[in-house]
Amino acid sequence: MTIQINQCNLGDLRTLQEISIETFNETFKDQNSPENMDAYLERAFNLNQLEKELSNSSSRFFFVYFNNELAGYIKVNIDDAQSEEMGNESLEVERIYIKSKFQKHGLGKVLLNKAIEIATERNKKKIWLGVWEKNENALAFYKRLGFVQTSAHSFYMGDEEQTDFIMTKILN
Ligand SMILES: CC(C)(COP(=O)(O)OP(=O)(O)OC[C@H]1O[C@@H](n2cnc3c(N)ncnc32)[C@H](O)[C@@H]1OP(=O)(O)O)[C@@H](O)C(=O)NCCC(=O)NCCS
């Protein structure tokens, strides 16, 4: 069994779009209307948008491979790339997605540890993320890895206002 993490670059744009759409669909399509899903997918994962994000020096994307097969990805943000004003002592995990067939193999933890490594290298004091209040699997995962809920904010899935919990882990 081999697990490998590679940082993405612009050459990965289309692969990033594919895995973003695939994993978002797997995670949320059963609990959201097709219209709201389509609106979100088009806005968040169009090639122009992803290209902009890949080119932002305050954001980094990583792919994780399980036995040489692409299994998931993570996006981390610092400074102004964070989706909330959290200041320059924090790092945001904006996205972390493992394809369903690779879940529960420890890959999510490997990606989160990568985020913690980057945060520590940059002397960040905490790592934070927003997670839909109804995403019970992800909430259980974050709690298992030491995150606690510190606040909440609104998130739009198409035209539906949803609540995201803000989860935070203080770094030593
Ligand atoms: C949430 C997610 C990233 C977790 O990744 P994963 O690879 O399945 O999780 P891991 O195997 O690394 O689990 C790490 C630990 O969390 C625990 N855990 C993971 N999912 C869990 C769940 N649903 N319930 C309880 N514990 C869970 C594991 O048991 C493991 O504990 P251990 O270290 O004691 O063995 C993954 O399931 C996923 O991509 N889900 C769909 C997308 C999603 O919801 N992303 C988050 C959006 S905010």
Side-chain angles (χ1 to χ4, degrees):
M1 180 191 92
T2 61
I3 296 174
Q4 200 188 331
I5 296 182
N6 285 353
Q7 184 169 349
C8 302
N9 57 40
L10 280 173
D12 296 310
L13 180 59
R14 283 179 188 277
T15 309
L16 178 63
Q17 184 187 44
E18 278 167 25
I19 193 170
S20 301
I21 292 172
E22 178 184 339
T23 53
F24 199 87
N25 265 322
E26 280 181 349
T27 308
F28 299 115
K29 80 169 176 336
D30 290 347
Q31 289 169 285
N32 291 281
S33 72
E35 295 75 25
N36 285 341
M37 286 292 290
D38 285 349
Y40 185 86
L41 290 170
E42 171 49 31
R43 179 168 62 82
F45 302 135
N46 70 73
L47 288 175
N48 282 343
Q49 177 61 27
L50 289 177
E51 184 173 5
K52 228 187 288 169
E53 294 178 23
L54 274 169
S55 307
N56 185 337
S57 60
S58 297
S59 297
R60 287 163 81 179
F61 290 84
F62 296 88
F63 286 154
V64 62
Y65 295 85
F66 187 78
N67 289 339
N68 298 317
E69 222 185 307
L70 181 58
Y73 77 102
I74 190 170
K75 179 186 182 198
V76 299
N77 299 322
I78 57 168
D79 301 333
D80 291 349
Q82 295 175 98
S83 58
E84 297 273 333
E85 283 188 19
M86 292 286 185
N88 61 6
E89 292 198 328
S90 60
L91 175 142
E92 175 186 17
V93 173
E94 188 184 352
R95 296 179 200 140
I96 177 167
Y97 287 88
I98 304 295
K99 293 183 187 182
S100 55
K101 75 168 177 164
F102 294 105
Q103 288 174 12
K104 300 274 179 74
H105 287 61
L107 299 177
K109 193 172 177 173
V110 166
L111 284 181
L112 210 48
N113 282 338
K114 181 74 190 173
I116 291 171
E117 183 190 310
I118 294 168
T120 307
E121 273 168 18
R122 291 172 177 264
N123 297 318
K124 304 298 181 195
K125 303 272 186 288
K126 66 178 185 182
I127 182 163
W128 71 276
L129 53 89
V131 52
W132 188 24
E133 61 179 341
K134 294 188 181 161
N135 190 347
E136 289 172 9
N137 283 322
L139 277 166
F141 166 76
Y142 296 132
K143 285 179 186 160
R144 179 86 192 103
L145 295 180
F147 284 78
V148 293
Q149 189 193 338
T150 45
S151 60
H153 70 179
S154 287
F155 168 89
Y156 278 87
M157 176 73 89
D159 61 8
E160 187 187 328
E161 186 177 0
Q162 301 183 346
T163 300
D164 269 5
F165 291 153
I166 304 294
M167 308 289 292
T168 303
K169 182 180 169 80
I170 304 293
L171 302 174
N172 300 315

